[in-house]
């Protein structure tokens, strides 16, 4: 019976994904431009300026303390240059998907808020872990922007299946299990797998889709540094968002990833502490997403 329910859920998920409205034209064009090495900040600026509401939101987000640019960014072109193409694209996509997966009930709105908080915590922790592991600066930005989109599949599930997702999310916030495990039991698929499908549908770069789709594991002994960093960041974000103290056993980082990290408990506690400080700065902008 359980397997039949899972199969039925997968059919329903596939239908829901087909029924999703397309991304706004401006966002699709921005994805296309940022995928091209020949595009310029001016071209992207021109496209996003055609969507005044989105332009305004982007500037409001970039000018929050979280990005360390409070009140300093006066134009979209300036934001593109400061953030870089990838980070700018993922920020635009995040804001747009928040509208696409709009919450239908007060309860699902609370879940959406929690998922965005977790996404920002993952992005922040990923960037800090990237520095600790001395990743290339470009890869540090990449893991940040990948972390920001890591919960995109969960946002889809929460918006399309608010009752069953609300029930499993309560179990998650009670600390009973990892979110992806609860999703697998309920739907036969988890948010990472669904997120990867969304990335493919939106024609996002393959390396970004890989991190979104595989950050829950399983992992081989042969490391993919950016993937391992996003997974570890996701697990640290879980502790932070559930208000749990750090322990090596309780952080639930995959054994292969933990071995690769080679960071002490003190190192990880410090990264968690720095992430918490940064997360306090994100509070004022979360309302633009949820």
């Amino acid at each position: 019976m359980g397997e039949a329910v899972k199969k039925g859920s997968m059919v329903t998920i596939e239908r829901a994904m087909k029924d999703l409205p397309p991304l706004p034209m401006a966002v699709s064009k921005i994805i296309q431009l940022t995928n091209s090495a020949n595009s310029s900040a001016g071209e992207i600026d021109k496209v996003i300026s055609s969507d005044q509401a989105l332009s305004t939101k982007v500037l409001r987000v970039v000018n929050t303390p979280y990005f360390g640019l409070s009140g300093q960014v006066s134009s979209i072109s300036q934001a593109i240059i400061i953030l870089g193409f990838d980070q700018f694209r993922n920020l635009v996509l995040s804001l747009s998907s928040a509208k696409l997966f709009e919450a239908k009930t007060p309860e699902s709105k609370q879940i959406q808020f929690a998922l965005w908080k977790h996404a920002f915590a993952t992005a922040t922790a990923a960037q800090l872990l990237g520095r600790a592991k001395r990743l290339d600066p470009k890869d540090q930005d990449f893991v940040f922007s990948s972390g920001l989109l890591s919960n995109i599949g969960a946002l889809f599930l929460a918006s399309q299946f608010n009752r069953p997702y609300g029930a499993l999310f309560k179990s998650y916030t009670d600390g009973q299990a990892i979110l992806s495990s609860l999703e697998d039991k309920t739907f036969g698929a988890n948010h990472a797998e669904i997120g990867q499908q969304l990335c493919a549908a939106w024609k996002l770069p393959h390396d970004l889709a890989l991190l979104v789709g595989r950050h829950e594991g399983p992992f081989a002994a042969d490391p993919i540094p950016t993937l391992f960093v996003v997974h570890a960041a996701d697990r640290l974000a879980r502790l932070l968002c559930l208000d749990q103290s750090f322990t090596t056993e309780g952080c639930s980082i995959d054994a292969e990833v933990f071995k690769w990290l080679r960071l002490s408990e003190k190192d990880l506690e410090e990264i968690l502490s720095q992430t918490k400080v940064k997360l306090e700065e994100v509070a004022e902008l979360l309302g633009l997403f949820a």
Side-chain angles (χ1 to χ4, degrees):
M1 174 67 76
E3 190 60 34
V5 170
K6 287 182 182 181
K7 287 180 180 177
S9 296
M10 283 305 297
V11 171
T12 308
I13 287 170
E14 287 171 9
R15 286 176 183 162
M17 291 187 77
K18 286 180 182 177
D19 291 340
L20 271 180
L23 289 170
M25 191 178 297
V27 178
S28 295
K29 185 64 176 175
I30 287 167
I31 291 172
Q32 183 184 337
L33 287 170
T34 53
N35 284 345
S36 170
N38 299 319
S39 300
S40 67
E43 288 177 286
I44 298 169
D45 185 7
K46 187 176 179 180
V47 170
I48 196 171
S49 294
S50 67
D51 189 328
Q52 192 59 49
L54 184 57
S55 298
T56 302
K57 276 190 175 183
V58 168
L59 284 177
R60 285 179 64 189
V61 169
V62 173
N63 275 298
T64 57
Y66 180 81
F67 284 94
L69 300 166
S70 187
Q72 298 178 42
V73 184
S74 58
S75 68
I76 290 293
S77 57
Q78 190 181 2
I80 296 166
I81 291 166
I82 291 171
L83 295 178
F85 277 17
D86 290 349
Q87 204 170 132
F88 182 82
R89 176 200 61 222
N90 289 5
L91 178 58
V92 167
L93 185 56
S94 297
L95 286 164
S96 183
S97 62
K99 182 68 176 175
L100 194 66
F101 303 140
E102 198 166 8
K104 298 178 177 68
T105 66
E107 292 77 14
S108 57
K109 192 172 181 66
Q110 287 182 345
I111 291 171
Q112 191 179 64
F113 186 90
L115 289 170
W116 278 119
K117 181 179 178 181
H118 185 281
F120 272 97
T122 301
T124 303
Q127 196 168 47
L128 292 168
L129 283 166
R131 287 175 193 160
K133 290 298 295 180
R134 297 183 179 178
L135 297 188
D136 182 273
K138 189 174 181 180
D139 282 339
Q140 292 177 31
D141 288 340
F142 178 55
V143 294
F144 174 90
S145 56
S146 300
L148 196 58
L149 290 179
S150 61
N151 274 343
I152 203 75
L155 289 160
F156 165 83
L157 288 171
S159 69
Q160 299 295 314
F161 310 98
N162 54 77
R163 283 191 178 181
Y165 204 85
L168 76 83
F169 201 78
K170 186 179 186 309
S171 296
Y172 167 68
T173 53
D174 288 343
Q176 294 180 25
I178 299 296
L179 184 60
S180 58
S181 299
L182 293 167
E183 292 165 342
D184 279 325
K185 288 177 184 176
T186 304
F187 299 107
N190 62 56
H191 68 272
E193 296 163 340
I194 291 167
Q196 187 167 16
Q197 291 180 50
L198 287 169
C199 287
W202 292 337
K203 296 181 172 58
L204 294 176
H206 175 73
D207 55 354
L208 175 59
L210 175 78
L211 262 65
V212 171
R214 290 184 53 194
H215 73 270
E216 290 291 338
F219 303 99
D222 188 22
I224 302 174
T226 52
L227 178 62
F228 279 24
V229 160
V230 172
H231 167 75
D234 173 79
R235 294 304 192 251
L236 291 178
R238 177 179 183 269
L239 291 178
L240 189 58
C241 292
L242 296 182
D243 200 25
Q244 295 179 349
S245 300
F246 178 88
T247 62
T248 302
E249 299 77 19
C251 69
S252 64
I253 295 174
D254 179 89
E256 290 294 341
V257 176
F258 199 88
K259 191 191 305 180
W260 173 82
L261 281 173
R262 293 181 182 174
L263 295 174
S264 68
E265 187 168 320
K266 185 178 178 181
D267 291 333
L268 292 170
E269 283 178 338
E270 178 59 26
I271 287 170
L272 194 61
S273 176
Q274 290 179 42
T275 302
K276 184 176 182 179
V277 171
K278 286 293 291 181
L279 203 58
E280 289 169 359
E281 297 172 352
V282 85
E284 68 176 88
L285 70 84
L286 280 175
L288 296 172
F289 291 84

